[in-house]
Amino acid sequence: MSVNQKATGFLAEFRKFIARGNVMDLAVGVIIGGAFKSIADSLSNDLLMPLLGLLTPSGLSLSGWTIGPVAVGHFLDTVLSFLITAFALFCLIKALNVFHRKKEEAPAAPPAPPAPSKEEILLTEIRDLLKERS
């Protein structure tokens, strides 16, 4: 097997891997996750942190906290942003699960009655014939 055949086989295998549904779903999830992260960061930095700052006497600002050369405050801001993102995703997934559960529990249409047996059909014909005579 030549190097060219190995490369072609490798590329074909890679194309097959990329075309699988799981990879596409993962790509969409990563893109949506990136967009959701910006929303969660804004929620944390623009809404929650200023509100927490109003509740504390000196005004809470974690980003300025340092221990020597280590920016502890920025790390704490990042952890808080992660926790907010994780909590928001948890709430979103929980709501979706409730929605899907209700959708699955919705009553299905009643099954169609079984078709009449040969005997029932024959008896029906006999009944109809007797009605015609009388």
Side-chain angles (χ1 to χ4, degrees):
M1 183 179 277
S2 70
V3 173
N4 192 22
Q5 288 174 331
K6 284 183 181 179
T8 305
F10 179 79
L11 289 176
E13 187 176 344
F14 180 70
R15 269 191 303 244
K16 183 179 175 185
F17 170 75
I18 289 297
R20 287 167 52 198
N22 295 348
V23 174
M24 295 300 182
D25 291 344
L26 179 62
V28 169
V30 167
I31 292 168
I32 295 294
F36 191 79
K37 181 188 179 310
S38 64
I39 293 171
D41 285 345
S42 177
L43 175 69
S44 173
N45 297 332
D46 301 333
L47 296 175
L48 293 179
M49 291 308 287
L51 290 175
L52 289 174
L54 291 175
L55 296 175
T56 58
S58 62
L60 183 64
S61 175
L62 298 178
S63 59
W65 291 4
T66 60
I67 298 178
V70 180
V72 175
H74 183 68
F75 174 74
L76 291 176
D77 274 342
T78 305
V79 169
L80 182 62
S81 178
F82 168 77
L83 291 174
I84 290 169
T85 303
F87 182 72
L89 280 174
F90 170 76
C91 292
L92 180 67
I93 297 299
K94 189 166 178 69
L96 286 174
N97 286 341
V98 167
F99 173 73
H100 286 296
R101 204 173 307 125
K102 284 183 181 177
K103 190 174 169 183
E104 290 172 359
E105 291 174 357
S117 66
K118 291 181 183 181
E119 295 158 341
E120 289 175 322
I121 294 172
L122 183 60
L123 288 172
T124 304
E125 290 174 2
I126 293 171
R127 181 198 65 204
D128 293 343
L129 288 172
L130 289 173
K131 279 186 183 178
E132 288 177 11
R133 284 191 177 173
S134 52

